Amino acid sequence: MKFIIDKLIHYILSFFVLIYILYEELIWERLAQPIFRYFQSLKLLQKLEHYLKNVHGVLILIAFIILFAITELQGIYAGVLLLKGKPVLWLLLYAGKIPIAAFTFWLFRVSKPKLMSFPWFKKSYELLMRGIDWIQHTETYIDIKTRAANLKEYFKKNYLREGDSTRQKIKRIYRRLKIRLREILKR
């Protein structure tokens, strides 16, 4: 019985770790961070950052919670749309979430001391960070991260050659996937 429970926990943890890695690699690093950096470079936000230094912490907390809730609800609803078989709507809604999330992260970064002055917020943040740290130090996370890095390197080496046009890359991927699919179907 212990073996079955251990395997079940391993698979559940693997699922969540995989979701986390996909989010981190695809959404955060490829989309959200560039938008976040763009927001930081805007002069309007630099002025807003100076303005926020004089705004009461409660107002910043309310704004942060509203923005955070909007992005989370968008993500949940986008997931529902994807499960319902509406990938275009999922993509549009999720893409619309990214600038709001980037702005929310910016707001958190510039007003972190004020937000951390609320004990329940600070405790929640610390708990979340401990959870992320725990996940990143599990054997499952390290194993999946290593495999993902190897797969990414293999994909770059075999499918995405420097100097090729996007069209050439797509053709190469299509041809190789077609060959692989034929090999699998022959078995």
Side-chain angles (χ1 to χ4, degrees):
M1 187 65 164
K2 183 178 178 348
F3 174 78
I4 293 172
I5 292 172
D6 287 345
K7 278 292 184 191
L8 183 62
I9 289 171
H10 173 75
Y11 287 126
I12 291 170
L13 183 59
S14 294
F15 174 75
F16 284 113
V17 165
L18 189 58
I19 296 293
Y20 176 78
I21 289 172
L22 286 173
Y23 171 78
E24 183 181 55
E25 288 282 328
L26 297 176
I27 306 298
W28 179 248
E29 289 183 11
R30 303 281 184 259
L31 297 171
Q33 273 190 338
I35 292 171
F36 180 72
R37 283 191 294 274
Y38 173 74
F39 275 146
Q40 284 181 309
S41 70
L42 294 175
K43 291 188 185 244
L44 177 66
L45 287 186
Q46 291 169 358
K47 290 178 183 178
L48 182 58
E49 184 174 345
H50 292 296
Y51 173 76
L52 288 173
K53 290 178 181 175
N54 299 321
V55 174
H56 195 279
V58 173
L59 294 175
I60 292 173
L61 178 66
I62 291 169
F64 177 81
I65 289 172
I66 289 170
L67 290 169
F68 184 79
I70 288 169
T71 59
E72 291 308 308
L73 290 173
Q74 272 184 286
I76 292 167
Y77 188 60
V80 169
L81 290 173
L82 185 63
L83 292 174
K84 285 185 175 182
K86 300 178 180 180
V88 174
L89 289 175
W90 165 79
L91 184 63
L92 289 172
L93 189 61
Y94 209 86
K97 167 189 169 158
I98 293 170
I100 299 168
F103 180 79
T104 307
F105 282 117
W106 172 85
L107 179 62
F108 176 78
R109 186 189 62 78
V110 301
S111 57
K112 188 175 178 179
K114 287 185 179 184
L115 291 171
M116 292 299 169
S117 69
F118 298 96
W120 66 269
F121 189 91
K122 183 177 182 181
K123 185 95 169 156
S124 299
Y125 175 77
E126 289 170 350
L127 184 63
L128 177 66
M129 290 296 103
R130 277 198 304 266
I132 289 171
D133 187 57
W134 175 77
I135 288 172
Q136 290 177 338
H137 286 89
T138 62
E139 185 178 321
T140 304
Y141 177 88
I142 294 166
D143 182 47
I144 291 174
K145 190 77 170 175
T146 302
R147 289 179 190 215
N150 291 340
L151 182 63
K152 189 175 171 182
E153 189 60 37
Y154 172 83
F155 191 76
K156 281 182 180 179
K157 180 180 174 188
N158 292 299
Y159 295 106
L160 304 174
R161 295 186 188 137
E162 283 191 43
D164 284 355
S165 69
T166 303
R167 185 174 184 203
Q168 289 171 317
K169 291 175 185 178
I170 291 171
K171 280 184 176 181
R172 184 179 309 105
I173 291 169
Y174 173 75
R175 280 194 307 269
R176 289 195 179 189
L177 288 176
K178 194 174 175 182
I179 291 168
R180 295 267 191 237
L181 185 59
R182 283 185 191 150
E183 289 172 0
I184 291 170
L185 291 176
K186 286 181 182 179
R187 291 181 193 168

